[in-house]
Amino acid sequence: MVRIFGFLLVALMGLSACEAPTPQLGTDGKPLPTVYRIRAGDEAKIQFRMLDSVNSLRQAAGLAPVAYDSLLNAAAATHARDMSIQNRPWHFGSDGSSPIDRVRRVGYTGDLVGENISETYETELETLAAWMDQADTRRVILSGDARKMGFAWTQEANGKLWWALVMGS
């Protein structure tokens, strides 16, 4: 009996030493993001999780779903890599290309609806939520003209992610 109590006492002391980590807070009082590491082989899961999430938002807004387009994916991937190389999130490529130029270069024949970009350490769904919080990026996701979507990213060694979402008609 003494052994059982001794074991329980040691276990209780061990558990009491465990404490949930306190998140670091930014100047706005919100928790700072933690590094989201994308593992090899997760690409398809992430892309379809984003597609499902975008289509859920579109359905809730009474809009038709979008489908993945390999050409728009290529344009998004090209720009995500280029933003990482430039080390700045903006809509122009290092060669001066615009989103319209990039979708044309990959052979996409539809119209560009819009491009959303992000530089972050957060997940794709946290990034989508941030895009939905801003009127201009929300407008791209919920455009009634959108029928196709491309989504890609580049992750740097330090964990920084460069996301690019491209919508086309």
Side-chain angles (χ1 to χ4, degrees), residues 30-96:
K30 294 181 181 178
L32 293 173
T34 57
V35 175
Y36 172 56
R37 293 267 179 209
I38 297 175
R39 297 184 318 243
D42 282 351
E43 182 173 334
K45 282 193 288 188
I46 291 169
Q47 285 186 321
F48 285 105
R49 189 166 42 235
M50 180 61 93
L51 179 65
D52 289 344
S53 299
V54 165
N55 280 333
S56 292
L57 292 166
R58 291 177 62 81
Q59 181 181 20
L63 297 166
V66 294
Y68 261 123
D69 184 277
S70 61
L71 297 175
L72 292 179
N73 261 7
T78 297
H79 194 52
R81 279 189 305 272
D82 194 43
M83 286 188 298
S84 173
I85 291 166
Q86 295 182 71
N87 196 34
R88 63 179 168 183
W90 72 326
H91 293 283
F92 293 96
S94 56
D95 61 356

Side-chain angles (χ1 to χ4, degrees), residues 20-35:
T22 305
Q24 292 183 347
L25 301 179
T27 56
D28 60 359
K30 294 181 181 178
L32 293 173
T34 57
V35 175

Side-chain angles (χ1 to χ4, degrees), residues 145-164:
D145 294 331
R147 295 290 178 265
K148 305 286 183 178
M149 181 179 110
F151 177 67
W153 62 90
T154 294
Q155 186 164 37
E156 296 178 357
N158 66 4
K160 185 191 293 185
L161 284 153
W162 300 87
W163 301 104

Side-chain angles (χ1 to χ4, degrees), residues 111-139:
D111 291 328
L112 173 72
V113 171
E115 175 184 73
N116 289 348
I117 58 173
S118 180
E119 167 195 20
T120 185
Y121 291 89
E122 297 176 315
T123 69
E124 68 280 359
L125 297 181
E126 289 169 311
T127 301
L128 178 59
W131 286 336
M132 291 300 290
D133 280 344
Q134 300 296 317
D136 57 340
T137 50
R138 181 177 53 248
R139 194 171 17 257

